[in-house]
Amino acid sequence: SQTIHQWPATLVQPVGSPLSLECTVEGTSNPNLYWYRQAAGRGLQLLFYSVGIGQISSEVPQNLSASRPQDRQFILSSKKLLLSDSGFYLCAWRYGPGPYEQYFGPGTRLTVT
Amino acid sequence: EDQVTQSPEALRLQEGESSSLNCSYTVSGLRGLFWYRQDPGKGPEFLFTLYSAGEEKEKERLKATLTKKESFLHITAPKPEDSATYLCAVMNNNAGNMLTFGGGTRLMVKP
């Protein structure tokens, strides 16, 4: 069976500090990978997705970036955090060729102070 | 631009009181409509995918239906453990990697 991990589970960072969130998937090969952000009381906003190693597509211009150094590893980064970066960050995966449903990880709660 | 609107924003039910959640969508070409359940502080849990109007899927007390403009999530005789936020999302035929989510319906079932 497939499992998706995210860490850390919670993070409190000061404004201007760097960020690195990690997501790994087990039990599948060549998945599509996604990063979402969920602001309090709001829906999910797609930030980045990747269809393969080194292939990153950005949906929302901002001070965040993503990388996929290995097939089942997806990393979300920032050089300098803003207050507006606070939120619940979710990683998701799906089978590359389909079906199309995405499966989500447990999430990381980021608070920028 | 794809749009998804869920109603109501919040719903309070007594245990055993059946009801429906609505998901209205606008998409140029629907590849699929997805329902998820999200508990507080956790990632969304996949429930159903619907691909075409008239399709229905069931899981325990939940039944999802689809028309050309909306989807309903029917909850029959809900229990307190059904309390959660239910999210609806659509995928456009021309945007194979994007899910557009609605704002969700927060369901509270009282014993």
Side-chain angles (χ1 to χ4, degrees):
Chain A
S1 64
Q2 298 78 28
T3 308
I4 180 169
H5 303 279
Q6 286 186 245
W7 63 88
T10 60
L11 191 60
V12 181
Q13 292 284 91
V15 169
S17 64
L19 173 73
S20 181
L21 303 182
E22 190 166 343
C23 169
T24 59
V25 180
E26 296 177 353
T28 188
S29 297
N30 197 29
N32 286 4
L33 296 172
Y34 306 84
W35 278 113
Y36 289 87
R37 178 169 59 205
Q38 187 174 36
R42 300 182 62 181
L44 278 74
Q45 179 187 39
L46 179 64
L47 301 175
F48 301 94
Y49 69 90
S50 171
V51 298
I53 296 174
Q55 302 179 59
I56 308 294
S57 296
S58 173
E59 293 299 322
V60 182
Q62 55 205 325
N63 69 319
L64 298 173
S65 63
S67 62
R68 185 171 176 173
Q70 300 180 40
D71 181 44
R72 291 170 289 177
Q73 184 185 32
F74 206 22
I75 296 172
L76 183 69
S77 303
S78 174
K79 292 182 179 179
K80 290 185 177 181
L81 284 169
L82 306 173
L83 284 174
S84 58
D85 291 323
S86 293
F88 192 45
Y89 287 83
L90 290 156
C91 182
W93 73 275
R94 66 158 239 225
Y95 292 102
Y100 300 109
E101 51 265 20
Q102 297 178 14
Y103 299 92
F104 287 83
T108 294
R109 174 74 60 191
L110 172 65
T111 303
V112 182
T113 60
Chain B
E1 183 180 340
D2 302 338
Q3 289 190 330
V4 180
T5 303
Q6 293 188 245
S7 61
E9 290 187 6
L11 180 63
R12 293 186 178 188
L13 299 174
Q14 288 295 131
E15 185 172 1
E17 179 187 3
S18 301
S19 187
S20 297
L21 282 56
N22 177 265
C23 171
S24 297
Y25 65 90
T26 303
V27 63
S28 55
L30 182 69
R31 175 165 287 178
L33 184 141
F34 308 84
W35 281 100
Y36 288 84
R37 170 192 169 127
Q38 186 175 24
D39 292 306
K42 298 187 177 181
E45 174 190 350
F46 170 72
L47 294 174
F48 304 109
T49 306
L50 301 168
Y51 291 103
S52 58
E55 189 175 1
E56 300 181 351
K57 288 193 176 174
E58 290 187 64
K59 179 181 181 180
E60 296 181 353
R61 294 177 293 281
L62 300 177
K63 179 180 178 180
T65 62
L66 181 66
T67 72
K68 290 186 177 180
K69 294 183 177 181
E70 57 192 350
S71 177
F72 292 94
L73 185 64
H74 307 278
I75 302 177
T76 302
K79 298 182 178 182
E81 54 261 43
D82 295 321
S83 298
T85 295
Y86 290 85
L87 300 170
C88 172
V90 297
M91 178 178 284
N92 191 311
N93 268 328
N94 298 318
N97 277 295
M98 283 192 63
L99 290 182
T100 300
F101 280 85
T105 293
R106 188 171 73 255
L107 175 66
M108 294 157 281
V109 182
K110 294 187 176 182

